[in-house]
Amino acid sequence: REAELKHGRVCMLAFFGYVAVDGGNTWPGAPAVSSLAAHDEAVKNGSMLFLLGVIGVFEALSYVAIAEMLSGQTDRAPGDYGFDPFNYKAKKDYSTVEITHCRAAMLAFSGVVTQSALFNVGFPYMK
């Protein structure tokens, strides 16, 4: 469940970013390329190494919580990192809603990338 939530949350952000870039929104100074070509462009200009470092820091910080859960030293629920600024947990249990959205985002992101790679078009593709 922990891995599914983590991958689902990443896919929710990735889908939004993919659609935003293909819709014409870019970071200032970023090359104007499609989302599909952005990875190769980032590797060429060296910014992918910085991104790898940032992600590595986040992964290293989250390892402690995951190791505690796997060893049984905590009663933390999967995916609960204690970050709830709007106090949603006190209002309603959104765990089923979140896992449903995570699964939908994983399918959506896979579909968008597949469409872009197969047909060499951005998203949304409209004629």
Coordinates of all heavy atoms in Angstrom, one line a residue, residues 2 6 51-68 76 81:
E2 N 2.0 1.2 0.7 CA 2.9 2.3 0.8 C 3.4 2.7 -0.6 O 3.4 3.9 -1.0 CB 4.1 2.0 1.7 CG 5.0 3.1 1.9 CD 4.6 4.1 3.0 OE1 4.0 3.7 4.0 OE2 5.0 5.3 2.9
K6 N 2.7 6.1 -2.9 CA 3.8 6.9 -3.3 C 3.8 7.1 -4.8 O 3.9 8.2 -5.3 CB 5.1 6.3 -2.8 CG 6.3 7.2 -3.1 CD 7.5 6.5 -2.5 CE 8.2 7.4 -1.6 NZ 9.4 6.9 -1.0
L51 N 18.0 17.3 -10.5 CA 16.8 16.8 -10.1 C 16.9 15.4 -9.5 O 16.2 15.1 -8.5 CB 15.9 16.6 -11.4 CG 14.5 16.1 -11.2 CD1 13.7 17.0 -10.2 CD2 13.8 16.0 -12.5
L52 N 17.9 14.6 -9.9 CA 18.1 13.3 -9.3 C 18.6 13.5 -7.9 O 18.2 12.8 -7.0 CB 19.2 12.6 -10.1 CG 19.6 11.2 -9.6 CD1 18.4 10.2 -9.7 CD2 20.8 10.7 -10.4
G53 N 19.4 14.5 -7.7 CA 19.9 14.8 -6.3 C 18.8 15.2 -5.4 O 18.7 14.8 -4.2
V54 N 17.9 16.1 -5.8 CA 16.7 16.5 -5.0 C 15.8 15.3 -4.7 O 15.4 15.2 -3.5 CB 15.9 17.6 -5.8 CG1 14.6 17.9 -5.1 CG2 16.8 18.9 -5.9
I55 N 15.5 14.5 -5.7 CA 14.7 13.3 -5.4 C 15.4 12.4 -4.5 O 14.8 11.8 -3.6 CB 14.3 12.6 -6.8 CG1 13.4 13.5 -7.5 CG2 13.7 11.3 -6.5 CD1 13.1 13.1 -8.9
G56 N 16.7 12.2 -4.6 CA 17.5 11.4 -3.7 C 17.4 11.8 -2.3 O 17.3 11.0 -1.4
V57 N 17.4 13.1 -2.0 CA 17.3 13.6 -0.7 C 15.9 13.3 -0.1 O 15.8 12.8 1.0 CB 17.5 15.2 -0.6 CG1 17.1 15.8 0.7 CG2 19.0 15.5 -0.9
F58 N 14.9 13.5 -0.9 CA 13.5 13.2 -0.4 C 13.4 11.7 -0.1 O 12.7 11.3 0.9 CB 12.4 13.6 -1.4 CG 12.1 15.1 -1.3 CD1 12.5 15.9 -2.3 CD2 11.4 15.6 -0.2 CE1 12.2 17.3 -2.2 CE2 11.1 16.9 -0.1 CZ 11.5 17.8 -1.1
E59 N 13.9 10.8 -1.0 CA 13.9 9.4 -0.8 C 14.6 9.0 0.5 O 14.2 8.1 1.2 CB 14.4 8.7 -2.0 CG 13.5 8.7 -3.2 CD 12.2 7.9 -3.0 OE1 12.2 6.9 -2.3 OE2 11.2 8.4 -3.5
A60 N 15.8 9.6 0.7 CA 16.6 9.3 1.9 C 15.8 9.7 3.2 O 15.8 8.9 4.2 CB 17.9 10.0 1.8
L61 N 15.1 10.8 3.1 CA 14.4 11.3 4.3 C 13.2 10.4 4.6 O 12.8 10.2 5.7 CB 14.0 12.7 4.1 CG 15.1 13.8 4.1 CD1 14.5 15.1 3.8 CD2 15.8 13.8 5.5
S62 N 12.5 9.9 3.5 CA 11.4 9.1 3.7 C 11.7 7.6 4.1 O 10.8 6.9 4.6 CB 10.5 9.1 2.5 OG 11.1 8.3 1.4
Y63 N 12.9 7.2 3.9 CA 13.3 5.8 4.2 C 13.2 5.5 5.7 O 12.8 4.4 6.1 CB 14.8 5.6 3.8 CG 15.2 4.2 4.2 CD1 14.8 3.1 3.4 CD2 16.0 3.9 5.3 CE1 15.1 1.8 3.8 CE2 16.4 2.7 5.6 CZ 15.9 1.6 4.9 OH 16.3 0.3 5.2
V64 N 13.4 6.5 6.6 CA 13.3 6.3 8.0 C 11.9 5.8 8.4 O 11.7 4.9 9.1 CB 13.7 7.5 8.8 CG1 13.5 7.3 10.3 CG2 15.2 7.8 8.5
A65 N 10.9 6.6 7.9 CA 9.5 6.2 8.2 C 9.1 4.9 7.7 O 8.4 4.1 8.3 CB 8.6 7.3 7.7
I66 N 9.6 4.6 6.5 CA 9.2 3.3 5.9 C 9.9 2.1 6.6 O 9.3 1.1 6.9 CB 9.6 3.3 4.4 CG1 8.7 4.3 3.6 CG2 9.5 1.9 3.8 CD1 9.2 4.5 2.2
A67 N 11.2 2.3 7.0 CA 11.9 1.3 7.8 C 11.2 1.0 9.1 O 11.1 -0.1 9.5 CB 13.3 1.7 7.9
E68 N 10.8 2.1 9.8 CA 10.1 1.9 11.1 C 8.8 1.1 10.9 O 8.4 0.2 11.7 CB 9.8 3.2 11.7 CG 10.9 3.9 12.3 CD 10.6 5.3 12.9 OE1 9.5 5.8 12.7 OE2 11.5 5.9 13.5
R76 N 2.1 3.7 12.3 CA 1.8 4.7 11.2 C 1.1 4.0 10.0 O 1.5 2.9 9.6 CB 3.1 5.3 10.7 CG 2.9 6.3 9.6 CD 4.3 6.8 9.1 NE 5.1 5.8 8.4 CZ 5.0 5.6 7.1 NH1 4.1 6.2 6.4 NH2 5.7 4.7 6.6
Y81 N 2.5 10.6 6.5 CA 3.8 11.2 6.9 C 3.6 12.3 7.9 O 4.5 13.1 8.2 CB 4.6 11.7 5.7 CG 5.1 10.6 4.8 CD1 4.4 10.2 3.7 CD2 6.2 9.8 5.2 CE1 4.9 9.2 2.9 CE2 6.7 8.8 4.4 CZ 6.0 8.5 3.3 OH 6.4 7.5 2.5

